[in-house]
Amino acid sequence: MKITKETVHKKQGYRLHILPTSKYKTVSIVAKFKAPLKREGVTERALLPHVLHKATNNLPNVRKLQSALEDLYGTGFSSDGAKKGENHVISFRMEVVNESYLNESEPILEKALNIFRDVLFDPKVVNGGFDESIVNREKQTLEQKITSIKDDKMSYANLRLIDHMCEGEPYSLHVHGYLDDLQKITATSLYEYYQSMINNDELDVYIIGEVDDTEIVSLADQTFSRGDSDNRSDHQDSKSITPNEAKEIVEREEVNQGKLHIGYRTHIKFGDDDYFALQIFNGLFGGFPSSKLFMNVREKHSLAYYAASRFESHKGLLLVFSGVDPKDYDQAKSIILEQMEAMKQGDFTTEQVEDGKEQVVNQLQETMDNANGLIEVLYHQMLSRAEIPAHELMENIRKVTKEDVVKVAEKIELDTIYFLTSQEGGEA
């Protein structure tokens, strides 16, 4: 994969990251707006991206906006919000055909960026607010999304685990917002929040594809420049919290399959020296098909319909997910906790570590082979102030030893055991 080094330009009100490459047949542009996670505004931030890409003053309804994108050889546009540690990031993504593959010399990229600019900086405004019909429609969609989380019991159990585990911490805030707050939002109040966000959020723009550096800098300035913004938001670093004692929470709902989710504090974040060993630890513990959780909880003892783990890179959490029969709660819980203890005791082989390193390297290569995946890796690094070239990332993974993995395991502390069970089953 031939990708030249990322160049970063500090511009008026934004940072521009350019990665010229001939690998892709499209040019990918991603704009990321970041602000600290706060209850005031989290629901507006969940709603805003969906309202913004429905209409602009130049393209005043969904049909015209979609038609304009389609006319540019099916240019793709999407948006979403996510938690990165204790910060809230709204991403807008555009994928445009590489003009060099076309027979005609139409300035497709420039026209697409004009639409991008209008979506961000010239949305449809009616009487000092957003279009009320668009806001109401998107409020209904978001309300359905918030209420439907309870129907997906795995997602709901994970939400409740974080509610209990991170109570009082910004990370506990729900990325889709809250129904109480949603009902109070009007077209005018949302527009007022938008003006604050668009002027005060920290903005990073990534452009990957076969582009001319000088030309793309000029086009980006026309699109993303925020003249008066200093492009600084308060970055909210995640605090490393040491649990006093593990909490055990049992909640009851109408479920057939119990959800046993467990939260640990790793005290390790993206950019820390032992982050690479944490990646291998997670694979061996619950991330790979051959992991301890899968082989022991599911295969050997047949106690779980699924059993896996993942870690949160910017908050320092390790989360275990399993689906169990309510009557098997105590046994399943004991075996999961035993697998963590086995990792701390070094109960795995050097060969497993070597295999794990190759799997993690392959996953990373696969991620970075995709333009949006590569942008996410680079953005993670920037947030962590740990910008490492791709080849060094892979070298650091390959340097991990069994001793490094044990050292990581020894740092990990149990915080919360959460069990969502049926009305009559699974006693704590």
Side-chain angles (χ1 to χ4, degrees):
M1 172 169 73
K2 180 59 178 164
I3 293 181
T4 59
K5 186 173 174 4
E6 172 193 17
T7 56
V8 182
H9 305 259
K10 288 188 177 177
K11 309 296 288 178
Q12 277 203 303
Y14 74 107
R15 264 186 306 266
L16 175 62
H17 309 251
I18 305 173
L19 287 102
T21 175
S22 56
K23 176 181 173 64
Y24 310 111
K25 292 185 178 179
T26 57
V27 177
S28 294
I29 307 108
V30 177
K32 289 181 171 289
F33 291 84
K34 176 178 75 71
L37 262 172
K38 292 178 181 173
R39 174 64 192 254
E40 305 78 26
V42 72
T43 307
E44 283 85 349
R45 294 179 76 84
L47 184 61
L48 252 179
H50 305 291
V51 170
L52 286 174
H53 87 247
K54 293 297 184 294
T56 71
N57 283 322
N58 287 324
L59 299 162
N61 58 49
V62 176
R63 185 177 50 78
K64 287 187 176 176
L65 180 53
Q66 289 301 325
S67 178
L69 292 167
E70 281 298 322
D71 287 346
L72 297 175
Y73 293 88
T75 289
F77 193 84
S78 63
S79 59
D80 60 43
K83 293 192 284 191
K84 302 288 184 191
E86 301 198 319
N87 295 282
H88 196 281
V89 178
I90 298 176
S91 300
F92 296 88
R93 299 181 180 85
M94 179 174 267
E95 194 170 349
V96 189
V97 68
N98 185 337
E99 290 168 13
S100 64
Y101 287 93
L102 303 176
N103 294 324
E104 51 205 273
S105 57
E106 190 182 350
I108 302 295
L109 182 57
E110 183 177 353
K111 289 183 174 181
L113 284 172
N114 286 341
I115 295 174
F116 208 143
R117 180 192 62 221
D118 285 354
V119 167
L120 295 183
F121 299 110
D122 193 22
K124 184 181 181 184
V125 176
V126 181
N127 298 325
F130 287 120
D131 184 315
E132 198 169 328
S133 65
I134 292 174
V135 171
N136 288 339
R137 191 162 58 244
E138 294 307 316
K139 280 176 67 175
Q140 286 179 344
T141 303
L142 183 57
E143 181 180 346
Q144 288 165 2
K145 187 182 285 186
I146 293 169
T147 53
S148 69
I149 289 170
K150 200 162 186 179
D151 297 330
D152 177 354
K153 296 306 182 189
M154 185 176 176
S155 296
Y156 178 68
N158 189 46
L159 187 80
R160 295 297 293 145
L161 169 65
I162 298 298
D163 283 346
H164 291 291
M165 183 176 178
C166 300
E167 187 177 0
E169 300 170 55
Y171 191 76
S172 68
L173 292 170
H174 298 176
V175 75
H176 296 310
Y178 297 86
L179 290 177
D180 290 351
D181 298 341
L182 184 62
Q183 286 159 6
K184 298 172 194 166
I185 293 172
T186 65
T188 305
S189 71
L190 186 63
Y191 184 64
E192 286 169 1
Y193 184 86
Y194 154 79
Q195 289 177 305
S196 170
M197 183 209 91
I198 210 75
N199 290 312
N200 299 319
D201 269 29
E202 198 167 291
L203 172 58
D204 283 88
V205 175
Y206 290 82
I207 300 177
I208 294 187
E210 196 170 348
V211 292
D212 175 80
D213 206 87
T214 307
E215 182 188 358
I216 201 64
V217 168
S218 173
L219 284 174
D221 272 347
Q222 292 169 35
T223 308
F224 301 107
S225 183
R226 300 184 299 173
D228 297 331
S229 173
D230 63 5
N231 199 38
R232 286 185 191 162
S233 71
D234 297 327
H235 182 82
Q236 198 159 243
D237 283 321
S238 296
K239 294 180 177 67
S240 186
I241 291 177
T242 301
N244 294 324
E245 59 177 336
K247 299 184 283 249
E248 191 162 358
I249 313 286
V250 175
E251 293 182 344
R252 299 180 187 280
E253 295 277 346
E254 292 296 329
V255 295
N256 296 320
Q257 184 189 110
K259 306 296 178 187
L260 172 54
H261 290 201
I262 299 177
Y264 294 88
R265 305 272 181 173
T266 65
H267 308 291
I268 299 166
K269 290 179 278 190
F270 199 107
D272 292 346
D273 290 341
D274 39 11
Y275 177 80
F276 304 101
L278 175 64
Q279 291 177 282
I280 309 306
F281 167 90
N282 180 63
L284 299 180
F285 176 60
F288 299 149
S290 57
S291 70
K292 284 191 174 294
L293 290 181
F294 184 85
M295 298 306 292
N296 288 286
V297 185
R298 188 179 187 279
E299 295 294 289
K300 185 176 176 182
H301 293 281
S302 301
L303 285 172
Y305 303 97
Y306 60 88
S309 67
R310 70 170 175 83
F311 58 97
E312 207 292 337
S313 301
H314 295 282
K315 178 63 180 166
L317 306 181
L318 176 78
L319 307 173
V320 173
F321 313 108
S322 66
V324 304
D325 192 303
K327 66 180 171 49
D328 293 328
Y329 169 62
D330 287 320
Q331 192 183 0
K333 177 183 69 175
S334 296
I335 293 172
I336 291 171
L337 298 179
E338 283 167 16
Q339 304 319 304
M340 176 60 77
E341 195 53 41
M343 292 297 296
K344 291 176 187 282
Q345 298 301 323
D347 182 16
F348 51 91
T349 66
T350 303
E351 185 183 2
Q352 286 173 313
V353 172
E354 293 304 311
D355 288 345
K357 290 193 293 190
E358 286 312 303
Q359 287 190 66
V360 171
V361 166
N362 289 340
Q363 287 171 355
L364 181 60
Q365 284 175 325
E366 200 174 299
T367 298
M368 295 177 74
D369 274 345
N370 172 281
N372 281 316
L374 178 56
I375 289 168
E376 289 304 314
V377 170
L378 294 170
Y379 189 64
H380 276 304
Q381 292 190 0
M382 196 211 64
L383 288 182
S384 307
R385 306 171 190 91
E387 292 167 51
I388 305 167
H391 69 275
E392 281 187 34
L393 282 175
M394 295 178 195
E395 281 172 20
N396 286 331
I397 291 166
R398 289 194 171 108
K399 285 178 187 171
V400 172
T401 65
K402 179 178 177 179
E403 290 70 29
D404 295 332
V405 178
V406 172
K407 222 176 283 181
V408 161
E410 288 170 345
K411 283 187 176 185
I412 295 172
E413 296 182 285
L414 176 63
D415 187 299
T416 303
I417 298 168
Y418 174 82
F419 189 47
L420 179 66
T421 188
S422 58
Q423 297 290 351
E424 63 283 340
E427 294 302 325

